[in-house]
Structures are given as C-alpha cells and as structure tokens.
Amino acid sequence: MDFRFFDSDAERLVRHHAQNITHLNILGSPGWIFFQEIAPHLKRIRFLGRLITYGMPPTELYVHLETIQCLGPTLQFLYTDIDPHFLAYSSLIPRIENLFPNLRIILPSKGSGLIRRDDIGDWISWDKVRFDPDRWQILEDEFESFLQNIPSRMGEGITLLRHWE
C-alpha cells in the first residue's frame, strides 16, 4: 500500500488490511505512535517506508525501532531518512540487525543504500540502491534484482561498512 498523504481514510485502510500488507509506504508519515500500534498486526510486512528519524540521537532511534521489533520475522526492506554513515558510526547496525534479523536493505532518503550480503553478512553501502516513491509498483522486483546483483568486490560504488559479530 502506498499513501501520498496520511489521513483518517488511509489509517482505516491500513488497520483493516494490516494482516495482508506486504509493502507499506506512507508519505506524510503518521509518526511512530501509529507504527507502534499497527506493527503487531503487520504479520506479512516485507517493506516499511517513510520512518521519520531525522535528527534523533542513536539511543532514541533505537528505542523507537525496538517498539516495532515484532516486525523482525518478515521485515526485509526499511526506507527511512537515516544517514548510512550515522548508522555505521553510531554502532546501530548490529543492534538493528538483532531487532530485524531478516533485514537485507536499509534505504535512506538520500545517499547510498545499505545492503546486508548473504554470503558473509557484511553490510555494504552501495550508491546504486535508490528508492523512487513515484515508481512504487515495481519495488519488489527492483529490490530482488539489487539483492541478486550485488557485486562481490569493493569498488563499483560500494563501501564495506563492517562485519558485525
């Protein structure tokens, strides 16, 4: 489901269809309280978009993410305004990885996307991973393509952030 504006109709639709939603992107985000309330009902969610985190200190961001930890079994793609370098330098990546063990791509609103490689579990920053909210209909194929075509070596717009153990 893709909503350009969050209003009472959008909220009602999300609440009504929550158990069947696999992709949820809300421009004009309703905020954390809504996501905390609806998260336990999003049993099949794979992509969650537009989490507003700009300017949050790492501890506050982690507390907010912790409240939606119930999405861990299914969440694979997260789109937010988190700066990938902020994640790396604030030591949030291993903590986020523990909350969401199946998370494979973190897409910031600006800059490179973060991808966790299957083979060794490293998180890399890849400048070819972008999210265009106007092309919502092809997201699933696009993300799957990114995951299948991750170059195996550094270069080509890729930076190794770190392997967390």
Side-chain angles (χ1 to χ4, degrees):
M1 298 181 107
D2 183 30
F3 296 101
R4 297 294 167 198
F5 303 101
F6 187 77
D7 59 14
S8 59
D9 290 336
E11 181 177 353
R12 189 171 39 257
L13 280 170
V14 171
R15 289 186 187 280
H16 182 71
H17 296 287
Q19 291 189 359
N20 297 314
I21 295 173
T22 59
H23 292 65
L24 180 59
N25 185 51
I26 302 175
L27 301 178
S29 179
W32 282 97
I33 293 172
F34 173 75
F35 285 120
Q36 291 168 14
E37 290 173 1
I38 199 68
H41 306 285
L42 297 170
K43 304 287 186 193
R44 297 178 52 202
I45 194 81
R46 291 182 60 215
F47 177 92
L48 182 59
R50 301 304 289 185
L51 292 181
I52 305 301
T53 59
Y54 184 75
M56 276 187 197
T59 52
E60 184 180 343
L61 173 59
Y62 182 74
V63 167
H64 281 298
L65 291 173
E66 205 172 33
T67 64
I68 60 171
Q69 180 180 7
C70 57
L71 304 178
T74 58
L75 191 65
Q76 295 178 2
F77 312 103
L78 180 63
Y79 177 63
T80 183
D81 57 9
I82 299 172
D83 179 332
H85 297 291
F86 170 79
L87 284 178
Y89 296 118
S90 66
S91 301
L92 276 177
I93 290 178
R95 296 170 76 189
I96 290 172
E97 200 173 67
N98 285 333
L99 292 176
F100 309 110
N102 294 313
L103 190 65
R104 296 290 308 284
I105 299 178
I106 300 174
L107 299 165
S109 56
K110 298 175 186 159
S112 304
L114 301 180
I115 299 176
R116 182 165 57 178
R117 297 192 305 193
D118 254 350
D119 53 350
I120 49 179
D122 286 340
W123 282 91
I124 60 171
S125 175
W126 191 17
D127 63 6
K128 291 186 180 184
V129 180
R130 299 274 192 245
F131 172 72
D132 180 357
D134 295 330
R135 297 176 55 214
W136 178 255
Q137 298 82 357
I138 63 168
L139 277 179
E140 189 168 353
D141 292 339
E142 191 171 310
F143 292 149
E144 294 302 326
S145 175
F146 280 127
L147 290 174
Q148 291 172 7
N149 297 312
I150 299 170
S152 58
R153 56 185 165 69
M154 295 303 107
E156 303 175 46
I158 293 182
T159 305
L160 177 66
L161 291 178
R162 191 167 155 201
H163 178 69
W164 310 100
E165 294 184 346

